[in-house]
Amino acid sequence: MKLTVERDERAFDVAGAWRIIRQILCKRGAVIGLATGQTTGGMHQIVSEIYRAYPFDTSEVILFNVDELTNLDRSYPGSCFAMIDRQLVQNLDIPPHHFIMPLTLSDDFERECADFERRLTQAGGVDLQILGIGWNGHIGINQPGTPFGRQTWVSPMDSVFEARVRRETGVAADYPLGGLTRGIVNIMQSRRIVLAAKGAAKAEIIRQALCGPVSEAIPASALQLHPACEVLLDAEAASLLPTDFVRAHAS
Ligand code: GLP
C-alpha cells in the first residue's frame, strides 16, 4: 500500500484529478470507476477544468460509478448516475454509451447486478477504481459485516446517508431504499485502486482501516491486501496515523 498525504484540500483535489487524467492518457479505452460524495466532487471539477483548458482524447474512455441508489428515479440529483453525469460525463464529452451504470429502478436487481459486472468485464475489466470511505469504514455501499467474497449486490445504506436521501427525496419512512454496490471482491479485482479521504472526520476510520486488522467489520481494511492500492489523504485525514506508519508507506 502506498500512502500520499497532501498538505490541504486543494492539493488533495489536484492530486486526485491527476490520477484520473493520468489513467485516461496512459491507456486508450481505460475503464475508470468513480465514487460520488464530498470527497471526490473537487477532484472531478478539476479534471473538468483541465480538460476544458487542454482537451485530451476521451472518445474511448469508459466511466462507471462503484455504486448506485435503488428504487429512486435516476433524475433525482443525488443519484450516482446524475452526479457523475453532471460532474464528469458531460464535461469530458464521454459518449453516453461509454458511461456504464446499473439502473436505479428494476424488478430484478440480481439480474441488474450481474449485468453491470458483465458489461465491465466486456469492456476489459477495471483499470482504476477511485473509492471514498464512509464514516463506518464502508466502501461502495458495502456496510460493516459484509462478507469480503460477496459479489455485486444491493446493500442497505448506512443510517446517516439513508436519512439524507430520505430528507432530500421526501420518500416515506417505510419506502425501501438500498444501494447497488460492487462487492468487495469485485472492487479488489480492479488493477489499481485509489482510496481517497479528506477532513478530520475521516481520521479515526482511516487509522482503523489502514493500521488495524483486516476484518469484515471494517470493509475498507480489505484494501490492505490489494497489490496496487494508493491511499490519498489530506493532512487532516492522515492526522491520527502513527508517524512510523506514514514514514514506512509515504511516497
Ligand atoms: C456514500 C457513497 C460512497 C462514498 C461514501 C463517502 O456511501 N455511496 O461511494 O465513498 O458515501 O462519502 P463522502 O465522500 O461524502 O464522505
Side-chain angles (χ1 to χ4, degrees):
M1 181 184 294
K2 176 178 151 184
L3 181 64
T4 303
V5 181
E6 297 292 350
R7 65 187 177 284
D8 57 24
E9 187 173 5
R10 171 74 189 172
F12 167 91
D13 288 344
V14 169
W18 279 113
R19 277 146 184 83
I20 296 171
I21 294 172
R22 184 175 62 195
Q23 182 61 72
I24 294 174
L25 298 180
C26 285
K27 182 174 174 185
R28 233 183 125 74
V31 178
I32 303 176
L34 302 159
T36 50
Q38 287 164 359
T39 306
T40 51
M43 58 180 84
H44 294 169
Q45 195 179 330
I46 293 171
V47 172
S48 303
E49 284 167 10
I50 293 174
Y51 177 76
R52 223 177 353 254
Y54 310 101
F56 42 86
D57 184 6
T58 56
S59 61
E60 307 273 319
V61 176
I62 307 270
L63 297 184
F64 70 93
N65 197 64
V66 66
D67 50 31
E68 179 56 291
L69 305 178
T70 56
N71 291 339
L72 289 168
D73 199 273
R74 263 185 179 177
S75 62
Y76 162 49
S79 79
C80 298
F81 179 91
M83 289 179 76
I84 297 295
D85 190 48
R86 202 167 58 231
Q87 294 178 2
L88 282 178
V89 173
Q90 293 182 22
N91 297 342
L92 299 189
D93 302 317
I94 302 288
H97 65 285
H98 283 185
F99 181 30
I100 298 180
M101 286 296 284
L103 294 172
T104 56
L105 300 173
S106 170
D107 53 11
D108 187 349
F109 276 113
E110 222 170 282
R111 190 193 56 211
E112 203 46 44
C113 290
D115 200 54
F116 185 34
E117 285 305 321
R118 189 185 45 74
R119 290 195 288 160
L120 294 177
T121 304
Q122 273 173 0
V126 177
D127 293 299
L128 171 65
Q129 175 68 63
I130 308 282
L131 293 173
I133 182 171
W135 58 274
N136 59 1
H138 71 253
I139 48 175
I141 306 184
N142 298 286
Q143 303 303 327
T146 304
F148 285 160
R150 178 168 286 166
Q151 301 274 346
T152 295
W153 66 304
V154 176
S155 163
M157 295 183 223
D158 71 82
S159 52
V160 176
F161 187 50
E162 180 167 340
R164 192 180 92 202
V165 174
R166 287 192 185 278
R167 214 171 34 245
E168 286 180 4
T169 56
V171 296
D174 58 353
Y175 182 82
L177 290 176
L180 192 161
T181 179
R182 298 197 80 213
I184 293 169
V185 65
N186 308 91
I187 290 171
M188 290 292 279
Q189 284 160 7
S190 314
R191 293 184 188 97
R192 286 181 46 244
I193 294 176
V194 173
L195 173 69
K198 65 180 172 186
K202 295 285 170 72
E204 174 55 21
I205 194 66
I206 278 292
R207 188 188 65 74
Q208 291 179 34
L210 305 191
C211 305
V214 174
S215 155
E216 288 173 351
I218 302 194
S221 67
L223 300 172
Q224 292 182 31
L225 305 177
H226 194 278
C229 177
E230 177 185 9
V231 181
L232 173 63
L233 305 174
D234 71 352
E236 288 187 344
S239 60
L240 296 181
L241 292 175
T243 317
D244 53 347
F245 179 89
V246 175
R247 212 174 292 128
H249 293 87
S251 49

